[in-house]
Amino acid sequence: MHYEYQPQQTVRAQHGSTLRCKTWEAEAALRMLENNLDPAVSLVYDELIVYGGAGRAARNWKEYQTIVKTLTNLEPDETMLVQSGKAVGVLRTWPHAPRVLIANSNLVPAWSTQEHFDELDKLGLMMYGQMTAGSWIYIATQGILQGTYETFAAVADRHFGGTLAGTVTVTAGLGGMSGAQPLAVTMNDGVCLIIEPIDERVRQKVREGYLDEQARDLAHALELCEQYRQARTGWSIGLTGNAATVLPELLKRGYKVDIVTDQTSAHDLMDYLPEGDITAVLHLRADNPTEFRKQALASIMQHCQAIIDLQAAGAVALDYGNNLRGQAEKGGLKVRDDNGQFLYPGFVPAYIRPLFCEGKGPFRWAALSGDPQDILRIDRALLETFPDDKMLARWIEKAQAKVPFIGLPARVCWLGYGEREKFGLVINDLVARGEVSAPIVIGRDHLDCGSVASPNRETEGMLDGSDAVADWPLLNALANCASGADWVSLHNGGGVGIGNSTHSGMVIVATGTPEKAERLKRVLTTDPGMGIFRHADAGYDIAQRVAEERGVQIPGQA
């Protein structure tokens, strides 16, 4: 980690309107990198780990310092190249070209295994970027919150008469992103029991406001679940324990679970904590990685089997984590039916894909000023721009009431094709008129409508069988470069582990200038348009209809 280069002062994003870089675009990249590492935001600050097990913002502290220096000196017509967390070159390009191009964790397909990646990581040649960790657009748990909220709302509509009131959801994992599940369930008026092996992570989520209460033990947790189930009141309970132990115990007790899912880091066996005393487990990981992986896989299989068994007992089951089913399958557990379909579905094919077909996905923005009032002003503009969107209005109301600002103030909402361009121009106009006090960073998750190929999650069960076709995220990255994004990233393995996904990210900064307005129009049309291209090509009627209605040009489509 080259700790000798770790800054003496704790890294946090600079606030205000004073530039250290030569452009707001480079300054924005620097502040978002700093924001990713802010200890209030990141998972393991000293190791530059942001979230998702081992997702880093930079390869090590030496390379972090080089990136900072390079961004500070970057000319308005230069582009910095970042290879797996290391600045490797500066190119003379154009003022309208990206200021930063990032490639993280990418390996030639035949070598794209966790084992080969780990060897390169140990040699200091690569890092794992997850999705938004290594692309510097992470905004803490809120980043996936609305998507999680939309998912549970869809579950409520399909299975529980439009509300989760009176239901209990059981899930697991309280890492960086995982506070989204308990809060999303309670936003839909349900009760959530979430299991986490590390006690301090449970306490942290209670402090942050993503979790309502910590249970003393399982008996206390179930007592609380029943109390709030009977009251039909949204409430979330954190339990220190291991899902591989607790879920089978729920089955043994015959406890009624309405929904079962997970948000665990199972994509890398080194990040999944197996059953046992937590101190001993953490020592085992440090002292005997081989045995640790063996025990982790055994616990994953037990965890996954319990979800399948709870489904058989009547629970609605859905995968929401980081490749739990895929790892269990590698261990020999039967997780598919005779037709090759997973025994319980991922959240995207089950509940979210129709939104992807409309070009909808997680659109986010952050206030470079550091002033929460800038986000609240944009919230008002959002509701004024889309006055008839009742779901959006409900989301903003709940987000303002329940979602804390951590690090740079930020917001996320799901917007579709046409909506992103429209609202991006609204934000740019607010900057131009001085109604917000500094430029606004606009980006998204890599989990978006046209930016990811991930057969065990986002592209599971595609209509035409194109689950593993990775051309789409590659085209997405190229198209965003051509359209004028400010930084573009291309990663391997986010969400589900090395070799299991390819995905791309996009960021553009609303600086208030007419020139940036033109780029916003193009980028925020191009980017969601990739989702419509991808799903229309796969044969989805919704995407084909949206393309026709909104003038999306698809060669060969009548």
Side-chain angles (χ1 to χ4, degrees):
M1 286 293 103
H2 288 282
Y3 292 114
E4 67 273 21
Y5 288 90
Q6 186 170 338
Q8 291 185 345
Q9 288 190 324
T10 302
V11 174
R12 291 185 174 87
Q14 178 169 299
H15 293 185
S17 57
T18 301
L19 289 171
R20 295 162 293 174
C21 302
K22 297 180 180 181
T23 63
W24 265 113
E25 289 79 6
E27 181 73 26
L30 177 53
R31 292 192 191 189
M32 294 306 292
L33 168 61
E34 292 170 331
N35 191 61
N36 271 16
L37 289 172
D38 184 332
V41 176
S42 60
L43 191 64
V44 186
Y45 172 79
D46 287 346
E47 297 179 22
L48 300 100
I49 294 175
V50 182
Y51 77 97
R56 288 195 170 92
R59 196 181 300 185
N60 54 51
W61 286 111
K62 180 181 179 182
E63 300 308 338
Y64 167 79
Q65 296 282 19
T66 300
I67 289 170
V68 170
K69 182 178 179 180
T70 306
L71 284 170
T72 304
N73 293 322
L74 204 64
E75 296 292 340
D77 63 347
E78 290 181 335
T79 297
M80 176 176 68
L81 304 179
V82 178
Q83 181 262 318
S84 283
K86 177 181 180 179
V88 293
V90 173
L91 301 173
R92 181 92 181 273
T93 54
W94 303 95
H96 58 267
R99 295 283 68 79
V100 185
L101 294 174
I102 299 172
N104 284 319
S105 321
N106 296 289
L107 293 162
V108 173
W111 283 263
S112 191
T113 65
Q114 187 68 53
E115 294 73 20
H116 188 65
F117 170 82
D118 288 344
E119 291 175 9
L120 294 169
D121 190 10
K122 288 176 183 176
L123 292 170
L125 298 175
M126 295 198 90
M127 74 165 199
Y128 183 50
Q130 250 296 351
M131 288 189 164
T132 52
S135 58
W136 312 338
I137 192 62
Y138 183 66
I139 59 168
T141 304
Q142 186 187 174
I144 63 164
L145 181 57
Q146 195 196 354
T148 312
Y149 168 75
E150 297 269 5
T151 299
F152 282 110
V155 172
D157 287 342
R158 188 177 304 176
H159 302 287
F160 301 103
T163 178
L164 294 186
T167 68
V168 173
T169 297
V170 177
T171 185
L174 279 170
M177 299 287 256
S178 304
Q181 285 200 345
L183 187 51
V185 170
T186 59
M187 282 179 159
N188 282 286
D189 302 317
V191 177
C192 181
L193 171 61
I194 187 161
I195 306 149
E196 163 59 48
I198 299 177
D199 185 71
E200 175 53 29
R201 290 187 180 176
V202 182
R203 296 175 185 274
Q204 179 182 348
K205 292 303 174 184
V206 173
R207 290 195 302 268
E208 290 176 355
Y210 281 101
L211 191 61
D212 290 314
E213 185 172 356
Q214 181 172 13
R216 294 187 300 271
D217 51 33
L218 179 57
H220 183 221
L222 297 183
E223 179 185 324
L224 291 169
C225 286
E226 287 311 299
Q227 175 186 333
Y228 290 102
R229 189 210 297 263
Q230 294 301 320
R232 297 179 65 81
T233 300
W235 198 254
S236 57
I237 300 109
L239 174 65
T240 303
N242 195 294
T245 305
V246 175
L247 266 60
E249 180 62 24
L250 295 179
L251 284 158
K252 189 183 299 182
R253 296 185 184 199
Y255 183 75
K256 184 183 185 308
V257 173
D258 298 288
I259 303 163
V260 61
T261 184
D262 78 288
Q263 185 92 67
T264 53
S265 290
H267 56 285
D268 182 347
L269 293 178
M270 291 297 289
D271 295 323
Y272 184 97
L273 299 177
E275 293 179 281
D277 174 78
I278 189 61
T279 301
V281 163
L282 294 176
H283 281 146
L284 180 66
R285 181 165 66 178
D287 298 338
N288 191 344
T290 300
E291 178 60 24
F292 180 90
R293 291 188 184 95
K294 180 181 176 181
Q295 292 187 22
L297 185 57
S299 290
I300 285 171
M301 293 170 67
Q302 189 162 313
H303 182 175
C304 191
Q305 183 62 59
I307 292 175
I308 294 169
D309 292 343
L310 283 166
Q311 178 181 241
V316 174
L318 63 150
D319 178 87
Y320 215 116
N322 292 347
N323 210 27
L324 187 79
R325 297 170 305 173
Q327 294 284 30
E329 185 173 37
K330 286 182 181 178
L333 186 69
K334 179 178 171 57
V335 298
R336 299 178 191 265
D337 62 22
D338 293 340
N339 296 317
Q341 300 300 309
F342 282 111
L343 294 175
Y344 63 95
F347 73 100
V348 172
Y351 301 103
I352 295 297
R353 187 156 292 148
L355 298 178
F356 281 1
C357 290
E358 297 178 36
K360 281 194 173 182
F363 182 81
R364 60 179 63 167
W365 53 95
L368 293 175
S369 65
D371 186 352
Q373 292 302 314
D374 284 355
I375 296 299
L376 297 178
R377 177 64 187 93
I378 294 171
D379 283 350
R380 294 200 305 274
L382 181 68
L383 299 179
E384 291 163 2
T385 305
F386 305 106
D388 300 324
D389 192 329
K390 293 181 180 178
M391 177 70 86
L392 182 60
R394 184 179 180 219
W395 160 250
I396 292 298
E397 177 187 354
K398 287 182 176 289
Q400 288 181 347
K402 291 194 170 188
V403 179
F405 291 133
I406 299 173
L408 286 176
R411 184 71 77 217
V412 65
C413 74
W414 279 48
L415 293 178
Y417 186 86
E419 296 172 332
R420 298 193 202 188
E421 174 201 354
K422 184 176 184 180
F423 192 55
L425 293 174
V426 168
I427 292 175
N428 199 58
D429 191 48
L430 291 173
V431 177
R433 299 203 310 265
E435 293 192 37
V436 294
S437 53
I440 301 294
V441 167
I442 297 172
R444 57 161 172 76
D445 197 353
H446 290 204
L447 190 171
D448 196 25
C449 55
S451 62
V452 59
S454 183
N456 283 358
R457 201 166 76 171
E458 290 86 353
T459 53
E460 173 190 333
M462 291 295 291
L463 191 62
D464 62 347
S466 61
D467 304 24
V469 175
D471 294 337
W472 299 101
L474 300 179
L475 287 170
N476 180 276
L478 293 169
N480 279 315
C481 289
S483 299
D486 285 319
W487 72 88
V488 178
S489 53
L490 190 61
H491 294 194
N492 169 32
V496 288
I498 296 297
N500 292 305
S501 64
T502 300
H503 42 92
S504 60
M506 174 284 301
V507 183
I508 186 166
V509 186
T511 58
T513 66
E515 183 273 338
K516 189 49 73 75
E518 287 300 317
R519 288 168 62 184
L520 283 160
K521 287 180 187 178
R522 286 164 173 75
V523 171
L524 298 181
T525 301
T526 292
D527 192 50
M530 290 300 305
I532 296 177
F533 294 153
R534 198 264 185 271
H535 290 88
D537 189 73
Y540 287 92
D541 292 339
I542 300 174
Q544 292 170 354
R545 185 178 70 249
V546 169
E548 184 176 353
E549 290 173 352
R550 302 185 193 178
V552 181
Q553 295 186 55
I554 300 178
Q557 182 169 309

